[in-house]
Amino acid sequence: MLCKQWYQRRVRGSYVIYTCPSVRVLDYKRVKQQERVAARKMFAGKKKAAIEAAKTFTPGEPVKQTPADKEAIKAAIAKASSLDEIRRLEMMLNSGTIPGF
């Protein structure tokens, strides 16, 4: 039982280190470079490649929109009943999200 708890804590810590590389202290102990390397080895792989391929948005580049996305934007603007809603839609578009999704 104790061994299982230790292993779960180790995996959880490695996952936190992998997903948040800027973490310096975990469970009141300083994170060492060896732990960072071990976490990368444990969690890097096919899943990482799929996640990196999905990240297509880079700040400053225009958002790629399909015709369906454009129609959703037009419909959301047409349904807006106040200036606040239009501003909210504008902020959503500037951040890269599409209204209605």
Side-chain angles (χ1 to χ4, degrees):
M1 179 79 169
L2 186 60
C3 184
K4 183 178 179 182
Q5 290 175 347
W6 174 82
Y7 180 75
Q8 287 176 343
R9 187 176 299 139
R10 181 175 164 216
V11 170
R12 178 189 58 86
S14 295
Y15 182 74
V16 170
I17 293 169
Y18 176 73
T19 56
C20 184
S22 63
V23 70
R24 294 179 183 254
V25 178
L26 185 66
D27 293 335
Y28 303 105
K29 294 179 184 174
R30 188 173 175 99
V31 177
K32 298 177 184 173
Q33 187 63 29
Q34 291 174 326
E35 293 172 318
R36 293 182 192 281
V37 171
R40 256 187 254 123
K41 285 181 183 177
M42 186 182 290
F43 291 103
K46 293 179 184 176
K47 202 175 222 184
K48 180 183 175 191
I51 291 171
E52 290 298 323
K55 291 182 180 177
T56 57
F57 177 75
T58 50
E61 282 187 14
V63 179
K64 299 172 187 164
Q65 298 174 347
T66 64
D69 295 340
K70 290 180 183 180
E71 290 301 318
I73 293 168
K74 287 179 184 178
I77 291 172
K79 290 180 184 176
S81 60
S82 68
L83 188 58
D84 289 335
E85 286 184 49
I86 293 173
R87 286 186 181 141
R88 182 182 57 83
L89 290 170
E90 182 180 4
M91 288 177 61
M92 287 175 63
L93 290 171
N94 288 337
S95 69
T97 56
I98 298 171
F101 291 102

